[in-house]
Amino acid sequence: DAGKRPIMGGIAARLADLAILTDDNPRTEDAAAIRRAVREGAKDAANLREIGDRHAAIDFAVGELRAGDALIIAGKGHEPGQIVGTTVHPFDDAEVARQALRKGGQA
């Protein structure tokens, strides 16, 4: 829902210590334009980091984790793919996070 994008950005920037803005399923929309709309609600929040590539965003987020932190990966949920254009690319948030944790020696 395009109308909710600025609202989601504002909530994330207000409530998170670090909010990472990344692509979900842009489908046929311009992914950068979607991110701009989300960022509008966050204004110039210092705690908002934009990383369009979802895999890189999850890797970054896992790398930033410290003892006592919680990571919420929102958006795709259980979906096993990411829709870009009209193509569904295999992508599993949970598996990408597990791989990132293993790389960091935290698993």
Side-chain angles (χ1 to χ4, degrees), residues 6-50:
I7 296 167
M8 291 186 294
I11 291 169
R14 189 173 68 251
L15 298 179
D17 294 330
L18 173 63
I20 301 169
L21 174 56
T22 192
D23 295 342
D24 185 348
N25 289 322
R27 295 180 172 82
T28 57
E29 288 186 73
D30 176 30
I34 294 171
R35 292 192 308 273
R36 275 193 303 278
V38 174
R39 187 178 279 283
E40 277 297 309
K43 304 296 178 212
D44 293 319
N47 65 331
L48 182 66
R49 174 87 184 248
E50 184 175 335

